[in-house]
Amino acid sequence: MHKRVTFDNKLLPYLLVSPQILVTLVFFFIPAGEAVVYSVFSQDAFGIEINFVGLDNFLFLLNDPHYLRSFGITVFYSVAVAVSALIPALILAVLADGVAKGATVYKTLLIWPYAVAPAVAGVLWVFMFNPAVGIVAQWLRAAGIDWNYKLDGDQAMALVIFAAAWKQISYNFLFFLAGLQAIPKSLIEAAAIDGAGPMRRFFTIILPLLSPTTFFLAVVNMVYAFFDTFGVIHAVTLGGPAGATNILVYKVFNDGFIGLDLGSSSAQSVILLLIVVVLTVVQFRYVERKVQY
Amino acid sequence: MSGSGRLSSLLIHGVLILGIAVIAFPILIALIASSHDQITLVGKFPFYFGEHFIENYRTVLGEGMKRAGGGAVGPMLMNSFVMAIVIAVGKIVISILSAFAIVYFRFPFRMGFFWMIFITLMLPVEVRILPTYQVIANLELLNSYTGLTLPLIASATATFLFRQFFLTVPEELTEASRIDGAGPMRFFWDVLLPLSRTNIAALFVIVFIYGWNQYLWPLLVTQEESMYTVVMGIQRMVTVADAQAEWNLVMATTILALLPPVLVVVLMQRWFVKGLVETEK
C-alpha cells in the first residue's frame, strides 16, 4: 500500500516525524532498553554496588514460589474477567439485536461504563462490598454468608474480577452488536423456515458466525485484565489479603517502588514485555480482521 | 407478530432493562450515598435520597476531606482536565504529522520509522514503569504537567488510524493540488485536514477518556497534592475513608470523577463508536 503521487522534499518528512519519534525514543525505547539492562544486574541492599549477574534474576523468579503464585493468579484472573465480561455482553447484544424498536436507546444505556476509569470502578465496588457499610455486604450477611473480602482471599479475588469485568461489558456489547448486525438476516430466516427454534438458531448459526468477534474480544479482554486493571487492584485490595490478588503488573509496581528491588522488578518487566509481544503477535496474526463475512 | 411473538418481545425488553439496571446499580448506590450525611450511612443502607447532596459536593469541591487530610477535588478535576486535553491534542497532532510524512513522502528510513512507531504497541507503561520514571526524574519533570502528559502522547494506534485513512484519499486530489502549484503543507492544511475531521473527532473522544482515566502514571509522577488528578486522588480517600467512614464524600468525589468521561461518551456517542471500532483495526 503506497501512494503513487508523493511530494519531494529532503528535510520536511523528517521534521514531520521527529516529534513522534523523539517521544517514542525517550519514553519508550530508552526505558525498555534500560529494563532489559537492569534485569541482568543485581543491586545490594544499599543500592551502592551493582554486579552483573546474567540471567540470575530470571532464574530466581522462575524458582520463586511468590512469583509463580502471582503468575497463576494473573492467568486465573484474566480468564475469569474475560469470561465474566463476555457472557453478559453476548446475551445483551443478542437481545438488543432482536428488538425492532429502541435498540439505539439500549445501546446508549449500555455503553457508558466504558468511560469509567478502572480505579473508579474499583471504588464503586469497594463501597457496595465494604464489610461494615456496603449494601451488598449487608445482603450477603443477611443470606448467611460470612463476607469480608479484606480477610478472605477468594472473596477479594471475586470482588476485583467483578469490578474489572463490569466496565468491560459495554465494550464487548458494542462489538458483539456490530458482529450480529453483520450477519445476513436471510440466513436466520431460512433456518426459522426450516423449523429451527431460537436456541437452535443461536447455537448452530449465530454463534459460529460470531466466533471471529468472540476470539478477538477474548484476546482484547485478556490484555485488558493483564495490563489495564492495575487501578482496580490498587484501589480495592492493594494485592492482598496475603497476596491473593497480587497480579503480575501490581507485583512489578510493588517490588520496584515499595520494595525497591531494581533487578527483580526489571526482570519481571522483561517477562511482561515478552507476554505482550506474544499477545500482540496472536492478535495480529490469528485474529480475523473482525466482522467480514 | 403472533401472540407468542409479542410475549417473547416483552420478555426480551424485560431482560434488557434488568441488565441495564444491574449495570447501573453501582452508580445509583453512589448517588444515594453522596446525598446523605456521614452518620446515616453507618447503619442499614438508606434506599432514598437524602438532603445533603449539594452540601457534600460543595464540600469535596472546595475543601475536600479536611478532617481526613484529603485535598480539595476542584483542583484535581482541573488537573485531570488539563491532562486529558493535552494528551488528546498532543497525540492527534504528532500522529497526524507522522502519518502524513510516512504516506506522502519517500525518504530514507521511512519504513524504519514506521516500525519504530509500531513496536510501541508492545510497550505499555506497566512494563517499563521504573525506567520511565527514572527518565522523567532525570529530566526534572516530576510534579509537572509536562511529565504527566508527554510520555503518554506517543501512539501507534493513532498513527495507524491516520495512515489507513490517508491511503484511502484519492490520488487525484494530490495530483490536482500539485498541478495548482500547492506545496505539501498547503495540501495538508487545505485538503487532508478538512477530510480528516471525522477521524479526528472520533480519536479525540477515545483519547480524552484514555487521558482522563490514567492512574498508574499520575500515581508515579505526582507527589505534590497540587498536581494530583481526581482518578488517583480517590484511592487515597478510600484508604482514609475506611478509618473515618466519610463515604458520602468519597462517593461524591467518585461521581465527579466519572461524570466528565461518561458525558463525553454519551454526548458524542457516534464519534465514540467510530473511534472504538477504528482504533482496534
Side-chain angles (χ1 to χ4, degrees), chain A residues 2-7 14 20 24 27-28 31 38 106 108 115 117 130 135 138 150 166 171 234 257 262 269 273, chain B residues 13 23 43 45 47 94 104 106 108 110 120 123 127-131 134 159 166 169 171 178 213 215 242 269 280:
Chain A
H2 296 291
K3 285 275 179 194
R4 222 168 5 91
V5 190
T6 55
F7 292 99
Y14 293 101
Q20 172 96 307
T24 307
F27 298 109
F28 285 76
Y38 290 142
Y106 286 124
T108 308
N130 182 284
I135 175 162
Q138 288 172 0
K150 290 176 184 182
W166 173 73
Y171 182 92
H234 194 248
F257 276 87
L262 191 62
S269 285
L273 198 71
Chain B
H13 285 287
I23 287 174
F45 189 80
F47 252 114
I94 71 168
Y104 281 97
R106 296 279 163 277
R110 187 176 75 101
T120 58
L123 301 171
V127 310
R128 51 190 167 80
I129 297 175
L130 213 60
Q134 285 172 333
T159 312
F166 290 166
V169 173
E171 307 257 12
R178 281 186 43 158
N213 288 350
Y215 185 75
D242 227 11
Q269 190 177 338
E280 285 297 346

Short mmCIF file of all heavy atoms in Angstrom, two decimals, chain A residues 2-7 14 20 24 27-28 31 38 106 108 115 117 130 135 138 150 166 171 234 257 262 269 273, chain B residues 13 23 43 45 47 94 104 106 108 110 120 123 127-131 134 159 166 169 171 178 213 215 242 269 280:
data_model
loop_
_atom_site.label_atom_id
_atom_site.label_comp_id
_atom_site.label_asym_id
_atom_site.label_seq_id
_atom_site.Cartn_x
_atom_site.Cartn_y
_atom_site.Cartn_z
N HIS A 2 1.10 1.79 -1.17
CA HIS A 2 1.87 3.02 -1.26
C HIS A 2 1.17 4.00 -2.16
O HIS A 2 0.41 3.63 -3.05
CB HIS A 2 3.28 2.74 -1.80
CG HIS A 2 4.08 1.88 -0.91
ND1 HIS A 2 4.53 2.29 0.31
CD2 HIS A 2 4.50 0.60 -1.04
CE1 HIS A 2 5.21 1.30 0.88
NE2 HIS A 2 5.18 0.26 0.09
N LYS A 3 1.46 5.25 -1.94
CA LYS A 3 0.91 6.28 -2.79
C LYS A 3 1.74 6.39 -4.06
O LYS A 3 2.96 6.28 -4.03
CB LYS A 3 0.94 7.63 -2.06
CG LYS A 3 -0.12 7.75 -0.99
CD LYS A 3 -1.44 8.22 -1.58
CE LYS A 3 -2.50 8.31 -0.48
NZ LYS A 3 -3.84 8.43 -1.02
N ARG A 4 1.06 6.57 -5.19
CA ARG A 4 1.76 6.81 -6.44
C ARG A 4 2.31 8.24 -6.45
O ARG A 4 3.46 8.48 -6.76
CB ARG A 4 0.78 6.62 -7.60
CG ARG A 4 1.30 5.88 -8.78
CD ARG A 4 0.19 5.48 -9.76
NE ARG A 4 -1.15 5.96 -9.46
CZ ARG A 4 -1.63 7.12 -9.94
NH1 ARG A 4 -0.91 7.89 -10.70
NH2 ARG A 4 -2.87 7.47 -9.64
N VAL A 5 1.42 9.15 -6.07
CA VAL A 5 1.80 10.56 -6.09
C VAL A 5 2.35 10.96 -4.73
O VAL A 5 1.66 10.81 -3.73
CB VAL A 5 0.56 11.44 -6.41
CG1 VAL A 5 1.00 12.88 -6.68
CG2 VAL A 5 -0.20 10.87 -7.56
N THR A 6 3.59 11.41 -4.72
CA THR A 6 4.15 11.87 -3.44
C THR A 6 4.78 13.24 -3.63
O THR A 6 4.87 13.74 -4.74
CB THR A 6 5.22 10.90 -2.91
OG1 THR A 6 6.20 10.73 -3.93
CG2 THR A 6 4.62 9.57 -2.53
N PHE A 7 5.23 13.79 -2.52
CA PHE A 7 5.88 15.09 -2.58
C PHE A 7 7.39 14.91 -2.48
O PHE A 7 7.86 13.94 -1.88
CB PHE A 7 5.41 16.00 -1.44
CG PHE A 7 3.98 16.39 -1.57
CD1 PHE A 7 3.00 15.72 -0.85
CD2 PHE A 7 3.60 17.42 -2.41
CE1 PHE A 7 1.66 16.09 -0.96
CE2 PHE A 7 2.27 17.79 -2.53
CZ PHE A 7 1.30 17.12 -1.81
N TYR A 14 11.32 14.49 7.65
CA TYR A 14 12.00 14.25 8.94
C TYR A 14 11.45 15.16 10.02
O TYR A 14 11.28 14.76 11.17
CB TYR A 14 13.51 14.42 8.79
CG TYR A 14 14.13 13.37 7.90
CD1 TYR A 14 14.45 13.65 6.58
CD2 TYR A 14 14.35 12.08 8.38
CE1 TYR A 14 15.00 12.69 5.76
CE2 TYR A 14 14.89 11.11 7.57
CZ TYR A 14 15.22 11.41 6.26
OH TYR A 14 15.74 10.45 5.45
N GLN A 20 7.03 12.66 17.03
CA GLN A 20 6.60 11.31 17.39
C GLN A 20 7.82 10.42 17.70
O GLN A 20 7.83 9.69 18.69
CB GLN A 20 5.80 10.73 16.21
CG GLN A 20 5.45 9.28 16.34
CD GLN A 20 4.05 9.11 16.90
OE1 GLN A 20 3.72 9.65 17.93
NE2 GLN A 20 3.23 8.36 16.23
N THR A 24 8.89 8.75 21.28
CA THR A 24 8.99 7.29 21.29
C THR A 24 10.36 6.83 21.79
O THR A 24 10.46 5.92 22.62
CB THR A 24 8.75 6.75 19.86
OG1 THR A 24 7.52 7.26 19.38
CG2 THR A 24 8.69 5.24 19.86
N PHE A 27 10.82 7.98 25.75
CA PHE A 27 9.95 7.41 26.77
C PHE A 27 9.57 5.95 26.54
O PHE A 27 8.97 5.33 27.40
CB PHE A 27 8.68 8.26 26.91
CG PHE A 27 8.97 9.65 27.36
CD1 PHE A 27 8.81 10.72 26.49
CD2 PHE A 27 9.43 9.91 28.65
CE1 PHE A 27 9.08 12.01 26.89
CE2 PHE A 27 9.72 11.19 29.06
CZ PHE A 27 9.55 12.24 28.17
N PHE A 28 9.89 5.42 25.35
CA PHE A 28 9.58 4.00 25.11
C PHE A 28 10.85 3.16 24.98
O PHE A 28 11.06 2.23 25.73
CB PHE A 28 8.72 3.84 23.85
CG PHE A 28 7.30 4.23 24.05
CD1 PHE A 28 6.94 5.57 24.10
CD2 PHE A 28 6.30 3.28 24.19
CE1 PHE A 28 5.62 5.95 24.29
CE2 PHE A 28 4.97 3.65 24.37
CZ PHE A 28 4.64 4.99 24.42
N PRO A 31 13.64 3.58 28.06
CA PRO A 31 13.24 2.86 29.28
C PRO A 31 13.16 1.34 29.09
O PRO A 31 13.59 0.58 29.95
CB PRO A 31 11.86 3.42 29.59
CG PRO A 31 11.80 4.71 28.89
CD PRO A 31 12.65 4.59 27.68
N TYR A 38 18.95 -3.54 33.27
CA TYR A 38 18.85 -3.73 34.72
C TYR A 38 18.54 -5.17 35.08
O TYR A 38 18.90 -5.66 36.14
CB TYR A 38 17.75 -2.85 35.33
CG TYR A 38 18.06 -1.38 35.34
CD1 TYR A 38 17.06 -0.45 35.10
CD2 TYR A 38 19.35 -0.92 35.61
CE1 TYR A 38 17.33 0.91 35.10
CE2 TYR A 38 19.62 0.44 35.62
CZ TYR A 38 18.61 1.34 35.36
OH TYR A 38 18.88 2.67 35.37
N TYR A 106 -31.15 1.35 24.03
CA TYR A 106 -30.44 0.36 24.84
C TYR A 106 -28.93 0.52 24.69
O TYR A 106 -28.19 0.39 25.65
CB TYR A 106 -30.86 -1.06 24.42
CG TYR A 106 -32.24 -1.43 24.89
CD1 TYR A 106 -33.23 -1.85 24.01
CD2 TYR A 106 -32.58 -1.36 26.25
CE1 TYR A 106 -34.50 -2.18 24.44
CE2 TYR A 106 -33.84 -1.68 26.68
CZ TYR A 106 -34.80 -2.10 25.78
OH TYR A 106 -36.06 -2.42 26.22
N THR A 108 -27.22 3.24 24.04
CA THR A 108 -26.77 4.39 24.83
C THR A 108 -26.70 4.04 26.31
O THR A 108 -25.77 4.42 27.01
CB THR A 108 -27.73 5.58 24.64
OG1 THR A 108 -27.88 5.81 23.25
CG2 THR A 108 -27.20 6.82 25.32
N ALA A 115 -16.52 4.37 29.89
CA ALA A 115 -15.82 5.62 30.19
C ALA A 115 -15.36 5.71 31.65
O ALA A 115 -14.62 6.61 32.01
CB ALA A 115 -16.71 6.81 29.86
N ALA A 117 -13.15 4.98 34.74
CA ALA A 117 -11.77 4.51 34.95
C ALA A 117 -11.77 3.24 35.79
O ALA A 117 -12.59 3.10 36.71
CB ALA A 117 -10.95 5.59 35.65
N ASN A 130 -18.16 -3.15 50.99
CA ASN A 130 -17.45 -2.86 52.24
C ASN A 130 -18.09 -3.63 53.39
O ASN A 130 -19.30 -3.55 53.61
CB ASN A 130 -17.52 -1.35 52.51
CG ASN A 130 -16.77 -0.97 53.77
OD1 ASN A 130 -17.26 -1.20 54.87
ND2 ASN A 130 -15.60 -0.42 53.61
N ILE A 135 -23.82 -2.11 50.94
CA ILE A 135 -25.19 -2.64 50.84
C ILE A 135 -25.20 -4.12 50.44
O ILE A 135 -25.93 -4.92 51.02
CB ILE A 135 -26.03 -1.80 49.87
CG1 ILE A 135 -27.41 -2.42 49.68
CG2 ILE A 135 -25.36 -1.66 48.50
CD1 ILE A 135 -28.41 -1.50 49.11
N GLN A 138 -24.16 -6.24 53.26
CA GLN A 138 -25.26 -6.43 54.22
C GLN A 138 -26.21 -7.52 53.75
O GLN A 138 -26.67 -8.34 54.55
CB GLN A 138 -26.00 -5.10 54.42
CG GLN A 138 -25.18 -4.08 55.23
CD GLN A 138 -25.83 -2.70 55.26
OE1 GLN A 138 -26.89 -2.47 54.68
NE2 GLN A 138 -25.17 -1.76 55.93
N LYS A 150 -11.60 -8.37 52.99
CA LYS A 150 -10.29 -7.92 53.48
C LYS A 150 -9.53 -9.05 54.17
O LYS A 150 -8.33 -8.95 54.40
CB LYS A 150 -10.47 -6.76 54.46
CG LYS A 150 -10.93 -5.52 53.74
CD LYS A 150 -11.21 -4.40 54.70
CE LYS A 150 -11.76 -3.24 53.90
NZ LYS A 150 -12.02 -2.09 54.75
N TRP A 166 -17.08 -5.51 35.06
CA TRP A 166 -18.24 -4.60 34.97
C TRP A 166 -18.08 -3.55 33.88
O TRP A 166 -18.95 -3.36 33.06
CB TRP A 166 -18.45 -3.93 36.34
CG TRP A 166 -19.49 -2.86 36.36
CD1 TRP A 166 -20.84 -3.05 36.29
CD2 TRP A 166 -19.28 -1.45 36.43
NE1 TRP A 166 -21.47 -1.84 36.33
CE2 TRP A 166 -20.55 -0.85 36.42
CE3 TRP A 166 -18.15 -0.64 36.52
CZ2 TRP A 166 -20.72 0.53 36.48
CZ3 TRP A 166 -18.31 0.73 36.60
CH2 TRP A 166 -19.58 1.31 36.57
N TYR A 171 -17.93 -2.50 26.27
CA TYR A 171 -17.04 -2.64 25.12
C TYR A 171 -17.41 -3.89 24.32
O TYR A 171 -17.62 -3.84 23.11
CB TYR A 171 -15.60 -2.74 25.63
CG TYR A 171 -14.55 -2.85 24.56
CD1 TYR A 171 -13.93 -1.72 24.08
CD2 TYR A 171 -14.16 -4.08 24.06
CE1 TYR A 171 -12.96 -1.80 23.10
CE2 TYR A 171 -13.19 -4.19 23.09
CZ TYR A 171 -12.58 -3.04 22.62
OH TYR A 171 -11.62 -3.14 21.65
N HIS A 234 -5.18 -1.75 42.83
CA HIS A 234 -4.61 -0.77 43.76
C HIS A 234 -5.69 -0.12 44.63
O HIS A 234 -5.48 0.15 45.80
CB HIS A 234 -3.83 0.29 42.98
CG HIS A 234 -2.94 1.13 43.82
ND1 HIS A 234 -3.18 2.47 44.03
CD2 HIS A 234 -1.83 0.85 44.52
CE1 HIS A 234 -2.25 2.96 44.83
NE2 HIS A 234 -1.41 2.00 45.13
N PHE A 257 8.71 -0.11 43.41
CA PHE A 257 8.55 1.17 44.09
C PHE A 257 8.45 1.05 45.59
O PHE A 257 8.87 1.95 46.32
CB PHE A 257 7.33 1.92 43.55
CG PHE A 257 7.65 2.67 42.31
CD1 PHE A 257 7.56 2.06 41.08
CD2 PHE A 257 8.09 3.97 42.38
CE1 PHE A 257 7.89 2.74 39.93
CE2 PHE A 257 8.42 4.67 41.25
CZ PHE A 257 8.33 4.04 40.01
N LEU A 262 15.38 -3.27 42.26
CA LEU A 262 15.51 -2.86 40.87
C LEU A 262 15.69 -4.05 39.93
O LEU A 262 15.02 -4.16 38.91
CB LEU A 262 16.68 -1.89 40.73
CG LEU A 262 16.81 -1.15 39.41
CD1 LEU A 262 15.59 -0.29 39.18
CD2 LEU A 262 18.06 -0.31 39.40
N SER A 269 9.60 -6.96 34.51
CA SER A 269 9.17 -6.13 33.38
C SER A 269 9.48 -6.81 32.06
O SER A 269 8.67 -6.81 31.13
CB SER A 269 9.85 -4.77 33.41
OG SER A 269 9.30 -3.96 34.39
N LEU A 273 7.04 -7.94 29.15
CA LEU A 273 7.29 -7.48 27.79
C LEU A 273 7.12 -8.64 26.80
O LEU A 273 6.48 -8.51 25.77
CB LEU A 273 8.71 -6.93 27.72
CG LEU A 273 9.07 -6.02 26.56
CD1 LEU A 273 8.39 -4.70 26.74
CD2 LEU A 273 10.58 -5.82 26.53
N HIS B 13 -37.42 -7.25 26.17
CA HIS B 13 -37.29 -5.91 26.75
C HIS B 13 -37.07 -5.99 28.26
O HIS B 13 -36.27 -5.25 28.83
CB HIS B 13 -38.52 -5.07 26.43
CG HIS B 13 -38.55 -4.59 25.02
ND1 HIS B 13 -37.72 -3.58 24.57
CD2 HIS B 13 -39.29 -4.97 23.95
CE1 HIS B 13 -37.96 -3.37 23.27
NE2 HIS B 13 -38.90 -4.21 22.87
N ILE B 23 -26.33 -3.14 35.71
CA ILE B 23 -25.09 -2.44 35.38
C ILE B 23 -25.06 -1.03 35.97
O ILE B 23 -24.02 -0.54 36.39
CB ILE B 23 -24.91 -2.43 33.84
CG1 ILE B 23 -24.52 -3.84 33.38
CG2 ILE B 23 -23.84 -1.43 33.42
CD1 ILE B 23 -24.45 -4.02 31.90
N GLY B 43 -25.37 2.81 59.42
CA GLY B 43 -26.25 1.65 59.69
C GLY B 43 -26.70 0.96 58.43
O GLY B 43 -25.93 0.78 57.49
N PHE B 45 -28.26 0.44 54.88
CA PHE B 45 -28.15 1.38 53.77
C PHE B 45 -29.50 2.03 53.44
O PHE B 45 -30.49 1.34 53.24
CB PHE B 45 -27.60 0.69 52.52
CG PHE B 45 -27.27 1.65 51.43
CD1 PHE B 45 -26.09 2.36 51.47
CD2 PHE B 45 -28.16 1.88 50.38
CE1 PHE B 45 -25.78 3.28 50.47
CE2 PHE B 45 -27.87 2.79 49.39
CZ PHE B 45 -26.67 3.49 49.44
N PHE B 47 -32.32 3.49 51.26
CA PHE B 47 -32.67 3.44 49.84
C PHE B 47 -33.49 4.65 49.39
O PHE B 47 -34.52 4.52 48.75
CB PHE B 47 -33.42 2.14 49.52
CG PHE B 47 -32.57 1.20 48.73
CD1 PHE B 47 -32.16 -0.01 49.28
CD2 PHE B 47 -32.15 1.54 47.45
CE1 PHE B 47 -31.35 -0.87 48.56
CE2 PHE B 47 -31.34 0.68 46.73
CZ PHE B 47 -30.94 -0.52 47.28
N ILE B 94 0.84 14.91 16.86
CA ILE B 94 2.07 14.22 16.44
C ILE B 94 1.77 13.00 15.57
O ILE B 94 2.55 12.65 14.70
CB ILE B 94 3.01 13.86 17.62
CG1 ILE B 94 2.44 12.74 18.47
CG2 ILE B 94 3.37 15.06 18.47
CD1 ILE B 94 3.46 12.19 19.45
N TYR B 104 2.95 10.33 2.45
CA TYR B 104 3.07 11.24 1.31
C TYR B 104 4.50 11.59 0.91
O TYR B 104 4.71 12.46 0.07
CB TYR B 104 2.27 12.53 1.57
CG TYR B 104 0.79 12.32 1.33
CD1 TYR B 104 -0.08 12.04 2.38
CD2 TYR B 104 0.28 12.36 0.04
CE1 TYR B 104 -1.42 11.82 2.15
CE2 TYR B 104 -1.07 12.15 -0.20
CZ TYR B 104 -1.92 11.88 0.86
OH TYR B 104 -3.25 11.66 0.62
N ARG B 106 8.65 9.97 0.12
CA ARG B 106 9.58 8.84 0.04
C ARG B 106 10.88 9.34 0.62
O ARG B 106 11.47 10.29 0.11
CB ARG B 106 9.84 8.43 -1.42
CG ARG B 106 8.64 7.91 -2.14
CD ARG B 106 8.38 6.46 -1.81
NE ARG B 106 7.02 6.10 -2.19
CZ ARG B 106 5.95 6.33 -1.42
NH1 ARG B 106 6.09 6.90 -0.25
NH2 ARG B 106 4.76 6.00 -1.82
N PRO B 108 14.66 8.11 3.04
CA PRO B 108 15.40 7.03 3.71
C PRO B 108 14.88 6.81 5.13
O PRO B 108 14.51 7.77 5.81
CB PRO B 108 16.85 7.54 3.74
CG PRO B 108 16.92 8.53 2.64
CD PRO B 108 15.56 9.15 2.53
N ARG B 110 12.14 5.58 6.01
CA ARG B 110 10.70 5.74 6.16
C ARG B 110 10.07 4.53 6.84
O ARG B 110 9.36 4.64 7.84
CB ARG B 110 10.07 5.92 4.77
CG ARG B 110 8.60 6.25 4.79
CD ARG B 110 8.12 6.51 3.38
NE ARG B 110 7.98 5.27 2.65
CZ ARG B 110 6.81 4.66 2.45
NH1 ARG B 110 5.72 5.21 2.90
NH2 ARG B 110 6.74 3.54 1.79
N THR B 120 5.90 0.35 19.57
CA THR B 120 5.47 0.93 20.85
C THR B 120 4.15 0.31 21.33
O THR B 120 3.83 0.38 22.51
CB THR B 120 5.28 2.44 20.76
OG1 THR B 120 4.33 2.73 19.74
CG2 THR B 120 6.58 3.12 20.45
N LEU B 123 4.79 -1.86 24.18
CA LEU B 123 5.49 -1.35 25.37
C LEU B 123 4.58 -0.52 26.26
O LEU B 123 4.80 0.67 26.45
CB LEU B 123 6.69 -0.49 24.94
CG LEU B 123 7.75 -1.16 24.07
CD1 LEU B 123 8.73 -0.12 23.55
CD2 LEU B 123 8.49 -2.20 24.88
N VAL B 127 4.90 -2.12 31.70
CA VAL B 127 6.07 -2.99 31.61
C VAL B 127 7.37 -2.21 31.67
O VAL B 127 8.45 -2.79 31.65
CB VAL B 127 6.06 -3.87 30.34
CG1 VAL B 127 4.74 -4.58 30.21
CG2 VAL B 127 6.35 -3.08 29.10
N ARG B 128 7.29 -0.88 31.71
CA ARG B 128 8.54 -0.12 31.79
C ARG B 128 8.42 0.94 32.87
O ARG B 128 8.93 2.05 32.74
CB ARG B 128 8.88 0.48 30.43
CG ARG B 128 7.75 1.24 29.83
CD ARG B 128 7.95 1.65 28.40
NE ARG B 128 6.68 2.09 27.86
CZ ARG B 128 6.16 3.30 28.07
NH1 ARG B 128 6.80 4.21 28.76
NH2 ARG B 128 4.99 3.61 27.57
N ILE B 129 7.70 0.60 33.93
CA ILE B 129 7.40 1.55 34.99
C ILE B 129 8.64 2.25 35.51
O ILE B 129 8.78 3.48 35.42
CB ILE B 129 6.73 0.83 36.18
CG1 ILE B 129 5.41 0.22 35.76
CG2 ILE B 129 6.50 1.79 37.33
CD1 ILE B 129 4.75 -0.60 36.84
N LEU B 130 9.56 1.45 36.06
CA LEU B 130 10.67 2.02 36.80
C LEU B 130 11.60 2.86 35.93
O LEU B 130 11.89 4.01 36.26
CB LEU B 130 11.43 0.88 37.49
CG LEU B 130 12.05 1.22 38.83
CD1 LEU B 130 11.00 1.65 39.82
CD2 LEU B 130 12.80 0.02 39.38
N PRO B 131 12.07 2.31 34.78
CA PRO B 131 12.97 3.13 33.94
C PRO B 131 12.31 4.40 33.39
O PRO B 131 12.98 5.44 33.31
CB PRO B 131 13.35 2.19 32.79
CG PRO B 131 12.82 0.87 33.10
CD PRO B 131 11.93 0.95 34.26
N GLN B 134 12.44 6.92 35.96
CA GLN B 134 13.77 7.49 36.11
C GLN B 134 14.07 8.52 35.02
O GLN B 134 14.71 9.54 35.29
CB GLN B 134 14.82 6.39 36.10
CG GLN B 134 14.83 5.64 37.42
CD GLN B 134 15.71 4.42 37.41
OE1 GLN B 134 15.94 3.81 36.35
NE2 GLN B 134 16.20 4.05 38.58
N THR B 159 -1.45 6.84 14.91
CA THR B 159 -0.68 6.97 13.66
C THR B 159 -1.23 6.01 12.60
O THR B 159 -1.40 6.38 11.44
CB THR B 159 0.80 6.64 13.93
OG1 THR B 159 1.22 7.36 15.08
CG2 THR B 159 1.66 7.06 12.74
N PHE B 166 -5.40 8.06 5.20
CA PHE B 166 -4.71 8.78 4.12
C PHE B 166 -4.58 7.89 2.88
O PHE B 166 -4.65 8.38 1.76
CB PHE B 166 -3.32 9.23 4.56
CG PHE B 166 -3.34 10.33 5.59
CD1 PHE B 166 -2.19 10.65 6.30
CD2 PHE B 166 -4.50 11.05 5.83
CE1 PHE B 166 -2.23 11.67 7.24
CE2 PHE B 166 -4.53 12.06 6.77
CZ PHE B 166 -3.38 12.37 7.49
N VAL B 169 -7.48 8.23 0.61
CA VAL B 169 -7.74 9.52 -0.03
C VAL B 169 -7.32 9.42 -1.51
O VAL B 169 -6.20 9.01 -1.81
CB VAL B 169 -6.94 10.64 0.67
CG1 VAL B 169 -7.06 11.96 -0.09
CG2 VAL B 169 -7.43 10.82 2.10
N GLU B 171 -5.88 9.67 -5.15
CA GLU B 171 -4.63 10.26 -5.63
C GLU B 171 -4.91 11.53 -6.44
O GLU B 171 -4.08 12.43 -6.51
CB GLU B 171 -3.90 9.26 -6.54
CG GLU B 171 -3.67 7.89 -5.90
CD GLU B 171 -2.25 7.71 -5.43
OE1 GLU B 171 -1.52 8.70 -5.39
OE2 GLU B 171 -1.88 6.57 -5.10
N ARG B 178 -1.17 19.47 -6.75
CA ARG B 178 0.19 19.70 -7.27
C ARG B 178 0.15 20.50 -8.56
O ARG B 178 0.99 21.37 -8.78
CB ARG B 178 0.90 18.36 -7.49
CG ARG B 178 1.42 17.81 -6.17
CD ARG B 178 2.24 16.58 -6.30
NE ARG B 178 3.19 16.61 -7.40
CZ ARG B 178 4.26 15.84 -7.45
NH1 ARG B 178 4.51 15.02 -6.46
NH2 ARG B 178 5.07 15.88 -8.46
N ASN B 213 -8.65 8.87 32.41
CA ASN B 213 -8.67 7.67 33.24
C ASN B 213 -7.29 7.15 33.63
O ASN B 213 -7.19 6.10 34.25
CB ASN B 213 -9.47 6.57 32.55
CG ASN B 213 -10.96 6.87 32.56
OD1 ASN B 213 -11.40 7.79 33.25
ND2 ASN B 213 -11.72 6.12 31.81
N TYR B 215 -4.08 6.23 35.55
CA TYR B 215 -3.99 6.00 37.00
C TYR B 215 -2.56 5.77 37.46
O TYR B 215 -2.00 6.51 38.26
CB TYR B 215 -4.86 4.81 37.38
CG TYR B 215 -4.93 4.56 38.85
CD1 TYR B 215 -5.70 5.37 39.67
CD2 TYR B 215 -4.22 3.52 39.44
CE1 TYR B 215 -5.76 5.16 41.02
CE2 TYR B 215 -4.28 3.29 40.80
CZ TYR B 215 -5.05 4.12 41.59
OH TYR B 215 -5.10 3.91 42.92
N ASP B 242 -11.89 4.53 55.03
CA ASP B 242 -12.12 3.29 55.73
C ASP B 242 -12.03 3.49 57.24
O ASP B 242 -12.79 2.92 58.00
CB ASP B 242 -11.10 2.26 55.27
CG ASP B 242 -11.79 0.96 54.96
OD1 ASP B 242 -13.04 0.98 54.90
OD2 ASP B 242 -11.10 -0.04 54.77
N GLN B 269 -21.64 10.02 21.20
CA GLN B 269 -21.75 8.58 21.00
C GLN B 269 -21.33 8.12 19.61
O GLN B 269 -20.62 7.13 19.46
CB GLN B 269 -23.19 8.16 21.27
CG GLN B 269 -23.34 6.65 21.32
CD GLN B 269 -24.77 6.26 21.65
OE1 GLN B 269 -25.52 7.03 22.23
NE2 GLN B 269 -25.15 5.07 21.28
N GLU B 280 -9.25 -0.21 16.84
CA GLU B 280 -8.94 -1.62 17.08
C GLU B 280 -8.56 -2.35 15.81
O GLU B 280 -8.30 -3.53 15.82
CB GLU B 280 -10.13 -2.31 17.75
CG GLU B 280 -10.30 -1.97 19.22
CD GLU B 280 -9.12 -2.43 20.06
OE1 GLU B 280 -8.30 -3.23 19.57
OE2 GLU B 280 -9.02 -1.98 21.21
#
